[in-house]
């Protein structure tokens, strides 16, 4: 990359995109393992279900508190440097969670992990947007999402056996930390940009931000009710071993990867907003199967299809937001969007933990219903709030 603007020379552009995508693959594997084994590790060291809920909320809360300052700071520091720092912090935080001698240090590690993960997520999309022309962004973001979720397939599949091979959930979290450290390898070949303009991150289109963010907040509240505990729900309801739970999440990731790869065609046919609404609306009936059908094969199928359809819209949403926002607001938006998502996730997770503490497994009957209602509301909000932005013009 040139030292000034951070835009690669033509011969380096493809290599830079591939390096960022490869880093996303390693980070995706680390994220999948940490998500799969965090709850099991916390229960193994004696955390109550309420504390497990608060622990799941901690990385989210760290982003809520620091997300806005990070949003103004990342583009000034540079996207490449931000990716380096994020990978290092995520690795260090997970290592501390895995081997902390005190419960309080577990929460410190979760804060560090949350900040590192936020830096990775916040810098990737603006950097790829800078590297890729508008007409190819849905394709590149879809490949990024597919690689991340494909990494989740391999991570979850191997993760189901890691406790048996290595000794327990703590060791599996250590492997996740090592995978985040590996993220530094492809990123190390990228030369950092020059220091950004101090004006970067100032919000000039607050109304557009609000229309983009409100559906995300609603979805995050619904996701927080269920997703942090889905591994525990499946394990308890069907008495599943680690390996089986890992395999279920692995194949769910594979289904999501396949769905993401067809999103460019869906967006080309119905527009970015249409692709988002179609994917999310089609996912809703499968929540009912996942919640209320007592037959594991059907529940597994519903898990695969629901996750694939709901998550496949994410790259299209990212491309839509990056198209609509000017360069100086993109990084800040990604961090604020991440903070808002984590805030909703944290609230939903904390509420869910308390309800489970009171009602046990029966709590999921109510929690899934809440998830369904919130997801349906968000699906309606997208066209209501963003219908006039269907053309996805770039604000300059």
């Amino acid at each position: 990359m040139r030292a000034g603007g951070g835009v690669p020379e033509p011969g380096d552009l493809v290599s830079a995109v591939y390096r960022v995508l490869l880093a996303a693959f390693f980070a995706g594997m680390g994220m999948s393992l940490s998500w799969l084994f965090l709850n099991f590790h916390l229960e193994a060291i004696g955390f109550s279900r309420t504390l497990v809920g608060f622990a799941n909320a901690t990385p989210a809360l760290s982003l809520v508190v620091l997300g806005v300052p990070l949003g103004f700071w990342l583009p000034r520091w540079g996207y490449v440097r931000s990716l380096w720092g994020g990978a290092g912090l995520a690795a260090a935080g997970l290592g501390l969670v895995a081997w902390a001698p005190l419960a309080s240090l577990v929460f410190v590690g979760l804060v560090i992990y949350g900040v590192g993960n936020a830096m990775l997520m916040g810098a990737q999309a603006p950097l790829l947007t800078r590297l890729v022309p508008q007409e190819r962004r849905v394709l590149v973001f879809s490949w990024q999402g597919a690689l991340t979720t494909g990494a989740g397939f391999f991570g979850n599949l191997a993760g189901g056996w890691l406790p048996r091979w290595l000794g327990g959930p703590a060791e599996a979290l250590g492997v996740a930390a090592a995978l985040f450290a590996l993220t530094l390898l492809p990123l190390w070949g990228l030369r950092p940009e020059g220091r950004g303009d101090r004006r970067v991150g100032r919000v000039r289109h607050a109304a557009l931000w609000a229309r983009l963010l409100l559906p995300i907040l609603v979805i995050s509240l619904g996701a927080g009710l269920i997703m942090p505990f889905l591994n525990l729900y499946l394990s308890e309801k069907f008495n599943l071993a680690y390996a089986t739970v890992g395999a279920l999440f692995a194949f769910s990731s594979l289904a999501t990867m396949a769905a993401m790869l067809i999103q460019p065609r869906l967006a080309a046919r119905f527009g970015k907003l249409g692709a988002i609404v179609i994917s999310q609306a089609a996912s809703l009936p499968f929540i009912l199967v996942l919640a209320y059908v007592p037959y594991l094969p059907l529940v597994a199928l519903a898990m695969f299809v629901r996750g694939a359809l709901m998550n496949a819209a994410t790259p299209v949403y990212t491309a839509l937001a990056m198209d609509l926002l000017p360069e100086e607001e993109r990084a800040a938006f990604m961090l604020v969007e991440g903070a808002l998502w984590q805030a909703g996730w944290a609230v939903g997770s904390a509420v869910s933990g308390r309800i489970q503490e009171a009602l046990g497994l029966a709590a999921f009957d109510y929690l899934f219903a809440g998830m369904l209602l919130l997801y349906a509301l968000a699906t309606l909000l997208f066209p209501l709030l963003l219908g006039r932005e269907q053309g996805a013009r770039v604000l300059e």
Side-chain angles (χ1 to χ4, degrees), residues 133-202:
Q134 182 181 2
E135 64 272 12
R136 298 185 65 81
R137 286 175 192 161
V138 171
L139 178 64
V140 169
F141 284 126
S142 294
W143 272 104
Q144 179 197 21
L147 282 171
T148 301
T149 53
F153 167 76
F154 294 109
N156 282 312
L157 193 62
W161 298 94
L162 282 177
R164 182 179 302 180
W165 295 337
L166 301 177
E171 289 74 16
L173 287 179
V175 173
L179 286 166
F180 274 106
L182 282 175
T183 301
L184 291 166
L185 292 180
L187 295 177
W188 212 255
L190 294 177
R191 284 177 290 176
E193 315 99 309
R195 300 289 179 173
D197 192 324
R198 294 185 62 84
R199 294 172 299 175
V200 171
R202 293 180 181 175

Side-chain angles (χ1 to χ4, degrees), residues 14-278:
V14 173
S15 174
V17 171
Y18 284 162
R19 287 177 181 275
V20 176
L21 293 179
L22 182 57
F25 178 81
F26 286 129
M29 288 191 70
M31 197 177 303
S32 67
L33 284 179
S34 64
W35 188 88
L36 180 61
F37 285 106
L38 176 61
N39 289 343
F40 292 126
H41 171 64
L42 295 176
E43 289 199 328
I45 63 175
F47 276 38
S48 68
R49 190 59 62 90
T50 298
L51 276 180
V52 170
F54 287 138
N56 276 278
T58 297
L61 291 174
S62 67
L63 179 55
V64 171
V65 173
L66 299 174
V68 173
L70 278 175
F72 285 87
W73 176 72
L74 284 184
R76 298 174 186 175
W77 198 42
Y79 301 134
V80 174
R81 293 186 186 90
S82 299
L83 292 177
W84 292 346
L89 287 174
L94 276 183
L96 183 57
V97 171
W99 294 297
L102 300 173
S104 58
L105 291 179
V106 170
F107 285 92
V108 173
L110 288 169
V111 170
I112 296 172
Y113 169 69
V115 173
N117 207 26
M119 292 173 68
L120 287 172
M121 293 186 296
Q124 280 181 8
L127 179 57
L128 286 173
T129 301
R130 178 178 289 179
L131 297 174
V132 178
Q134 182 181 2
E135 64 272 12
R136 298 185 65 81
R137 286 175 192 161
V138 171
L139 178 64
V140 169
F141 284 126
S142 294
W143 272 104
Q144 179 197 21
L147 282 171
T148 301
T149 53
F153 167 76
F154 294 109
N156 282 312
L157 193 62
W161 298 94
L162 282 177
R164 182 179 302 180
W165 295 337
L166 301 177
E171 289 74 16
L173 287 179
V175 173
L179 286 166
F180 274 106
L182 282 175
T183 301
L184 291 166
L185 292 180
L187 295 177
W188 212 255
L190 294 177
R191 284 177 290 176
E193 315 99 309
R195 300 289 179 173
D197 192 324
R198 294 185 62 84
R199 294 172 299 175
V200 171
R202 293 180 181 175
V203 177
R204 293 188 290 116
H205 303 93
L208 175 58
W209 280 47
R211 294 199 301 274
L212 284 164
L213 291 173
L214 182 57
I216 299 301
L217 175 61
V218 175
I219 292 172
S220 68
L221 288 168
L225 293 176
I226 293 295
M227 300 312 297
F229 305 96
L230 187 57
N231 53 353
L232 299 177
Y233 166 75
L234 293 171
S235 178
E236 292 176 2
K237 183 173 182 177
F238 297 104
N239 194 27
L240 302 179
Y242 287 148
T244 305
V245 176
L248 287 175
F249 282 99
F251 284 101
S252 180
S253 298
L254 193 64
T256 300
M257 180 181 70
M260 284 180 173
L261 291 176
I262 67 171
Q263 286 301 297
R265 292 189 177 184
L266 199 62
R269 174 68 177 84
F270 298 102
K272 296 182 180 72
L273 186 59
I276 293 169
V277 172
I278 290 170

